[in-house]
Amino acid sequence: MGKDESISDKEWERFLRDAEAGTPGAPEEPSARARSAARLPRGEAGQPPGWRTYEPARPRRGKGWYVLGLLLAVVLLVVALMPGKVLGWFGAGGDDGTPLAAESERPGQPPAAGAGRRPTMDAPFKGSPAAQWGDGTAGIHVPEARATGWMSRDQVAHALDRSRDFLAASSLDPGVLGGDRPAKAIALINPRQADVQDYLTAAFRTPSRENDARLLFSRFDKEKVRLVGHVVKTRGRLTFHEGRRGAVEVTADVTYVYPVVRAGAGGGGDGEEIVRTIVRRETVMSWDDPAKVVTEPGTFSLVSYKADITNGGCDTYTGYFTPPFGADRAGSGNGTEVDPYDRSKPADEAMGTGTGTGATDGGGCRTATRS
């Protein structure tokens, strides 16, 4: 740029000095970014056909965080209100909802009514609360051990484990469920307890109302009945306290659910009639101090044992469960109604009085409100 003749030498020198000093109002060297922007068309005449200028919008950070927080709140609300359904979207949970937490204490109310869906060979617990229960011993809560009576903490823990082993050997063992003698379970009972040994002998030799093996053991006649699948659903808990003579008394209050079909049933299609035999047992086991009670190491004495049976035979004492099918099932109950899944009542109250199995209440066979 040359000197303009209309500007005096003094004025021109002052202009140059001001430019070098950065005086406001002096022209600035454009940055590379400004130069690049200056080359972009501004919609003036001569721009290429179809050309559009574009300036990206700057994100509004405050609004973005607000939207994210709102979405998170909605997700948490859905999970809180419908946990089973949400887990179901990801392939988790039981047929009727998410698996229940362990039963560490007696519940305050019966389980909610299901959707009334019928069981199938692939889903034999469908439509019942048992769909959310644990499989086998997983559904039996074992409390934390503590030193009690004559036992140390570790000894109590061992007694609790062995008590659970008895439940597995008496009510979950596949061979025993198929009708075998429960030898492993019997081996855990104090052989010096004469009255119990007499009961066991009679229960398997000449079963009767007074000597009913079903009070302690779950057995089906495999010539007549077979289990559906390999899973038995359970819900219950072990508790313990110091008993007589410093013994550790372990109480097992557990409900078992066995889905079965007729042994001669063929095909195994969804049209097969499935009956669920439901048994709630309360068994009190005393782990005695060998210095005070005659016993064998590793065995317990039976303090009490009782059972409440639904769909396992009413006034039938063969040593086996005898589930009713077809017309027999429709007419199997004519007495007081009972919910076999209700664990909110103490066992004594739930099982009634005067009956060894709880299958009758003096006025006829009780009717299950659901199975």
Side-chain angles (χ1 to χ4, degrees), residues 95-134:
D95 175 70
D96 294 336
T98 181
L100 297 176
E103 184 188 275
S104 58
E105 58 184 18
R106 189 168 69 243
Q109 60 186 8
R117 290 175 289 179
R118 296 177 61 84
T120 66
M121 297 298 289
D122 292 331
F125 303 100
K126 179 183 290 187
S128 81
Q132 296 179 264
W133 292 6

Side-chain angles (χ1 to χ4, degrees), residues 15 96 316:
F15 173 82
D96 294 336
T316 57

Side-chain angles (χ1 to χ4, degrees), residues 99-104 132-142 164 167-168 172 231-237 254-256:
L100 297 176
E103 184 188 275
S104 58
Q132 296 179 264
W133 292 6
D135 296 354
T137 56
I140 304 173
H141 174 70
V142 178
R164 184 176 55 184
L167 301 182
L172 299 172
V231 173
V232 174
K233 289 290 187 177
T234 62
R235 185 146 184 85
R237 62 194 182 279
V254 181
T255 300
Y256 307 86

Side-chain angles (χ1 to χ4, degrees), residues 14-29:
R14 185 174 68 251
F15 173 82
L16 292 178
R17 286 195 304 271
D18 291 343
E20 292 174 356
T23 302
E28 298 180 1
E29 175 71 7

Side-chain angles (χ1 to χ4, degrees), residues 19-254:
E20 292 174 356
T23 302
E28 298 180 1
E29 175 71 7
S31 66
R33 184 184 185 113
R35 275 200 295 257
S36 175
R39 294 191 189 103
L40 293 177
R42 301 294 182 180
E44 298 173 351
Q47 67 183 20
W51 187 279
R52 295 291 185 272
T53 60
Y54 173 73
E55 183 177 355
R58 296 180 180 178
R60 299 176 62 181
R61 296 186 178 181
K63 185 176 180 180
W65 283 111
Y66 170 80
V67 173
L68 180 60
L70 181 61
L71 289 175
L72 180 60
V74 171
V75 171
L76 292 176
L77 180 61
V78 172
V79 171
L81 294 178
M82 300 182 295
K85 184 174 290 294
V86 172
L87 288 175
W89 293 341
F90 298 94
D95 175 70
D96 294 336
T98 181
L100 297 176
E103 184 188 275
S104 58
E105 58 184 18
R106 189 168 69 243
Q109 60 186 8
R117 290 175 289 179
R118 296 177 61 84
T120 66
M121 297 298 289
D122 292 331
F125 303 100
K126 179 183 290 187
S128 81
Q132 296 179 264
W133 292 6
D135 296 354
T137 56
I140 304 173
H141 174 70
V142 178
E144 184 177 353
R146 65 179 184 278
T148 303
W150 72 281
M151 287 186 168
S152 67
R153 178 184 178 277
D154 289 344
Q155 288 174 314
V156 171
H158 183 67
L160 290 171
D161 287 343
R162 296 294 280 169
S163 298
R164 184 176 55 184
D165 289 345
F166 173 76
L167 301 182
S170 61
S171 304
L172 299 172
D173 182 88
V176 174
L177 295 179
D180 293 347
R181 184 180 178 87
K184 291 182 180 179
I186 292 174
L188 290 170
I189 300 174
N190 183 2
R192 305 297 185 89
Q193 196 175 5
D195 58 338
V196 173
Q197 293 300 321
D198 290 343
Y199 151 73
L200 292 172
T201 299
F204 292 103
R205 183 178 298 171
T206 55
S208 65
R209 183 185 183 90
E210 291 73 27
N211 297 304
D212 188 355
R214 300 177 303 168
L215 294 174
L216 281 174
F217 311 107
S218 294
R219 303 166 70 230
F220 295 89
D221 184 346
K222 62 184 177 182
E223 299 297 323
K224 299 178 180 179
V225 175
R226 64 181 175 89
L227 286 169
V228 179
H230 303 285
V231 173
V232 174
K233 289 290 187 177
T234 62
R235 185 146 184 85
R237 62 194 182 279
L238 300 183
T239 57
F240 67 95
H241 67 276
E242 183 175 351
R244 296 179 59 187
R245 296 182 290 272
V248 175
E249 285 192 5
V250 178
T251 298
D253 181 358
V254 181

